[in-house]
Amino acid sequence: AQSVSQHNHHVILSEAASLELGCNYSYGGTVNLFWYVQYPGQHLQLLLKYFSGDPLVKGIKGFEAEFIKSKFSFNLRKPSVQWSDTAEYFCASLGGTSYGKLTFGQGTILTVHP
Amino acid sequence: GAVVSQHPSRVICKSGTSVKIECRSLDFQATTMFWYRQFPKQSLMLMATSNEGSKATYEQGVEKDKFLINHASLTLSTLTVTSAHPEDSSFYICSARTSGRTYEQYFGPGTRLTVT
């Protein structure tokens, strides 16, 4: 079965620090990859997505992610975080035997101190 | 655009009763809706997929007689937790997808169910 793993459960940073959240997926075929963010008390929102083409994907709010097929990774990055980036981040994949269904990682809670 | 609402946002019920949660797509037609369950500090687990006008497809391990899903229109899907027990207490989230944008799901704000 397809799986998605996120390496860090909780990341704590100070404002202006750089961020990288790890995500690895298991399926070796064509996959579509997503990063979602869930701010406290709010619903899941799409940050960015990768379908094909340029492996470096830019999303909203200054986030970007790089698809590295050889490493089965899709890490999320932001050069300088803000306090308002405090949220939970989920990596998800769509594809393979789970056609049409999103498979989510465990989530990473990001806390940014001002 | 692409707003999904859920009602209620929170519900507390007694063990043995049934609870209905509504999921609505407010500004688009949702040919497919998904229901997820999220336990504290865990990821979203897909429970079932529902297509408008047809029976829902349940994931392995999800009791279809306990979690009744109805997708009677292109803007509404309901999840009914029947004979609820404390172990059903969880955060239930729905998402919706249109036929024209196969890969993107729009999520509702979730419903916190507490069974006492």
Side-chain angles (χ1 to χ4, degrees):
Chain A
Q2 192 166 241
S3 67
V4 176
S5 63
Q6 293 179 238
H7 314 305
N8 311 99
H9 177 64
H10 194 180
V11 172
I12 302 173
L13 296 172
S14 298
E15 274 194 320
S18 64
L19 169 72
E20 181 159 5
L21 301 182
C23 171
N24 286 93
Y25 61 95
S26 64
Y27 184 65
T30 301
V31 289
N32 304 122
L33 296 162
F34 304 80
W35 275 97
Y36 286 89
V37 61
Q38 188 173 28
Y39 297 103
Q42 296 188 30
H43 60 278
L44 278 166
Q45 300 173 44
L46 182 66
L47 266 182
L48 50 78
K49 59 191 176 190
Y50 172 78
F51 289 165
S52 63
D54 189 343
L56 186 61
V57 180
K58 294 194 183 297
I60 61 171
K61 306 189 181 188
F63 287 91
E64 65 179 29
E66 186 174 12
F67 170 62
I68 303 179
K69 189 173 182 179
S70 61
K71 295 184 178 180
F72 294 85
S73 71
F74 189 57
N75 292 355
L76 181 71
R77 300 196 293 247
K78 186 171 184 178
S80 176
V81 295
Q82 300 172 312
W83 174 79
S84 57
D85 293 325
T86 295
E88 188 160 15
Y89 293 80
F90 293 93
C91 181
S93 72
L94 182 71
T97 56
S98 301
Y99 177 75
K101 305 175 189 177
L102 283 171
T103 301
F104 283 89
Q106 303 91 325
T108 298
I109 298 169
L110 171 66
T111 302
V112 180
H113 292 302
Chain B
V3 178
V4 176
S5 70
Q6 279 184 246
H7 179 79
S9 57
R10 292 176 179 270
V11 58
I12 301 172
C13 70
K14 292 187 177 180
S15 188
T17 62
S18 294
V19 174
K20 181 185 284 189
I21 302 170
E22 291 185 349
C23 176
R24 292 182 186 272
S25 58
L26 299 185
D27 50 3
F28 66 100
Q29 293 186 325
T31 51
T32 305
M33 286 185 168
F34 301 87
W35 286 96
Y36 295 86
R37 186 171 177 176
Q38 186 178 25
F39 291 100
K41 299 184 180 180
Q42 293 188 34
S43 186
L44 284 78
M45 300 298 295
L46 180 65
M47 298 174 66
T49 303
S50 73
N51 292 296
E52 186 263 338
S54 60
K55 289 185 178 179
T57 303
Y58 290 81
E59 294 300 301
Q60 195 171 13
V62 177
E63 298 175 61
K64 61 182 179 182
D65 294 330
K66 181 168 187 62
F67 298 99
L68 300 178
I69 291 171
N70 183 280
H71 191 167
S73 79
L74 285 171
T75 59
L76 173 65
S77 176
T78 60
L79 167 68
T80 301
V81 183
T82 62
S83 187
H85 290 284
E87 57 266 30
D88 298 325
S89 298
S90 192
F91 195 55
Y92 293 88
I93 301 172
C94 74
S95 71
R97 186 178 77 191
T98 67
S99 60
R101 302 183 70 176
T102 310
Y103 302 111
E104 195 155 345
Q105 295 181 27
Y106 302 95
F107 287 82
T111 296
R112 173 74 60 194
L113 170 63
T114 303
V115 185
T116 61

